[in-house]
Amino acid sequence: MRIRPRRLRNGETLRKMVRETRIDASSLIYPLFVKEGKGVLEEIPTMPGQYRYSVDTMGKKLEELLRAGVSAVMFFGIPAYKDEMGSGAYAQDGVIQKALMQTKRDFPELYLITDVCMCEYTSHGHCGVLCGRDVDNDETLKLLAGTALSHAQAGADMVAPSDMMDGRVAAIRERLDENGYINTPILSYAVKYASAFYGPFRDAAGSAPAFGDRKSYQMDYHNSREGMKEALLDIEEGADIIMVKPAMSYLDMVARIKERVNIPVAAYSVSGEYAMIKAGARLGYIDEEKIICETAASAFRAGCDIYLTYYAEEVARYIQEGKIG
Ligand code: PBG
């Protein structure tokens, strides 16, 4: 036999030498829930090991992340009050704005990204303002742009709209530019599907829609070309990075989009993915560490340049320990 594929699998040194996917902790982003209040440290029941922090309690976690080699976080806010207009999203003294100001001061080396959406702030739980029972796209754009600007003013290094309104990237770009934030990048959750994998997140943020669902703005998971349409549209509107979400069941989209676009592609391993691994591991059905390594490597193998995961700290540690990467 002249060709023996097994030849290159002989021993760890050789396997590492010919490895096709290299993972680096600088590609990781950790999503973090910041809740209004003081002394908050609440474990999220459907996401064991993940917490809601208040501004005064999150420092320890940020330190741990930095120590492990994770230098970017994505903030999600949980306000004290929700209203029809989601006003907590763009309030000067909103929970995210306060978190940004404090974190910029205490951890200047940390890169701060914010989720820009209304659903955590609206009393009805939808990702925009309502007109009757439908989300009013164009009215919502103004509030999203205002939210993104308030984040930039409070110290966000990058903003990440996740609402799936049409035209939001252009609206945000324009508002940021008018106010001098020409160098604040937009990471667009462009390829975001209406997914049951967000279930635990909605528990964590109390952001489940009070009626109906998100199918009039998030995408139907049967569609692939539509995801490409969203990605290309957002790039035209000025997105700097395109995100695919969820990750695990959507790696085909990561691969397709990576082939077609020339900007960085991010993949978000969402709350339900975390919860499944955690639950399986707790039951003793799967090996948590090995599954974390394999799922992370598969996202990078599919082509993502940036990976958001609740396991960011673990992934960074396993990279350091030579278990993946
Ligand atoms: C806000 C938002 C959601 C997630 C990220 N941004 C929830 C949703 O769209 O319902 C989900 C993240 C996760 O499940 O980990 N729109």
Side-chain angles (χ1 to χ4, degrees):
M1 245 190 285
R2 277 191 305 135
I3 298 171
R4 286 181 182 272
R6 288 184 60 192
R7 223 177 261 138
L8 292 182
R9 294 181 204 138
N10 225 330
E12 186 68 5
T13 306
L14 181 56
R15 279 197 295 274
K16 279 194 173 158
M17 188 189 297
V18 301
R19 186 167 275 176
E20 297 174 39
T21 305
R22 307 275 174 187
I23 305 174
D24 191 288
S26 59
S27 306
L28 300 171
I29 300 174
Y30 178 71
L32 187 136
F33 298 97
V34 195
K35 188 174 167 175
E36 186 69 66
K38 279 207 164 59
V40 178
L41 185 64
E42 299 167 356
E43 190 167 24
I44 299 159
T46 46
M47 301 176 75
Q50 301 299 318
Y51 295 81
R52 301 184 195 98
Y53 301 91
S54 47
V55 175
D56 61 331
T57 60
M58 65 186 188
K60 197 164 147 269
K61 180 68 188 178
L62 298 176
E63 259 167 41
E64 279 168 18
L65 286 162
L66 282 169
R67 215 174 309 123
V70 180
S71 50
V73 292
M74 167 93 85
F75 281 153
F76 292 94
I78 307 172
Y81 303 102
K82 305 190 188 220
D83 59 31
E84 285 273 301
M85 300 295 285
S87 56
Y90 40 88
Q92 295 294 329
D93 62 344
V95 58
I96 288 301
Q97 289 77 1
K98 284 189 285 199
L100 286 165
M101 286 186 268
Q102 170 142 343
T103 313
K104 263 287 151 229
R105 203 167 50 229
D106 297 351
F107 299 94
E109 67 277 45
L110 203 58
Y111 194 85
L112 307 181
I113 309 169
T114 55
D115 184 83
V116 175
C117 192
M118 311 296 295
C119 65
E120 298 106 296
Y121 305 91
T122 51
S123 43
H124 44 74
H126 279 287
C127 298
V129 286
L130 296 180
C131 178
R133 288 173 72 81
D134 195 20
V135 175
D136 186 330
N137 192 90
D138 299 9
E139 278 306 308
T140 301
L141 293 185
K142 300 172 193 160
L143 303 183
L144 291 168
T147 302
L149 175 61
S150 77
H151 290 176
Q153 287 168 334
D157 295 301
M158 182 188 284
V159 292
S162 70
D163 51 283
M164 287 299 279
M165 296 301 122
D166 295 334
R168 84 281 175 78
V169 173
I172 291 172
R173 186 70 274 158
E174 196 181 333
R175 187 76 66 91
L176 289 175
D177 286 0
E178 281 165 6
N179 288 275
Y181 293 95
I182 57 168
N183 282 323
T184 303
I186 300 176
L187 188 173
S188 174
Y189 289 68
V191 190
K192 177 169 174 176
Y193 288 89
S195 169
F197 282 103
Y198 310 147
F201 174 97
R202 292 179 190 169
D203 292 341
S207 63
F211 64 88
D213 53 39
R214 302 210 199 292
K215 288 182 182 162
S216 79
Y217 36 104
Q218 299 178 352
M219 275 187 294
D220 178 350
Y221 55 68
H222 300 82
N223 298 348
S224 169
R225 287 185 303 155
E226 189 187 11
M228 187 62 72
K229 174 181 169 184
E230 285 282 5
L232 297 178
L233 253 179
D234 282 8
I235 292 172
E236 258 177 56
E237 288 181 29
D240 298 280
I241 301 171
I242 288 294
M243 177 139 78
V244 175
K245 177 185 169 203
M248 188 163 54
S249 295
Y250 297 83
L251 293 183
D252 58 321
M253 293 309 299
V254 173
R256 263 196 89 182
I257 284 166
K258 185 59 182 286
E259 288 230 315
R260 178 85 183 266
V261 310
N262 60 5
I263 65 172
V265 176
Y268 190 158
S269 181
V270 299
S271 57
E273 300 177 48
Y274 176 87
M276 288 198 305
I277 296 173
K278 224 14 160 201
R282 291 216 162 169
L283 286 166
Y285 293 169
I286 53 170
D287 180 323
E288 185 175 23
E289 184 177 304
K290 288 187 175 146
I291 297 274
I292 293 171
C293 292
E294 194 173 331
T295 45
S298 67
F300 287 104
R301 189 190 63 231
C304 75
D305 306 287
I306 298 166
Y307 186 49
L308 290 92
T309 171
Y310 299 95
Y311 279 124
E313 198 177 321
E314 287 83 347
V315 173
R317 218 171 38 241
Y318 300 152
I319 294 171
Q320 270 178 16
E321 293 167 1
K323 290 173 178 151
I324 47 167

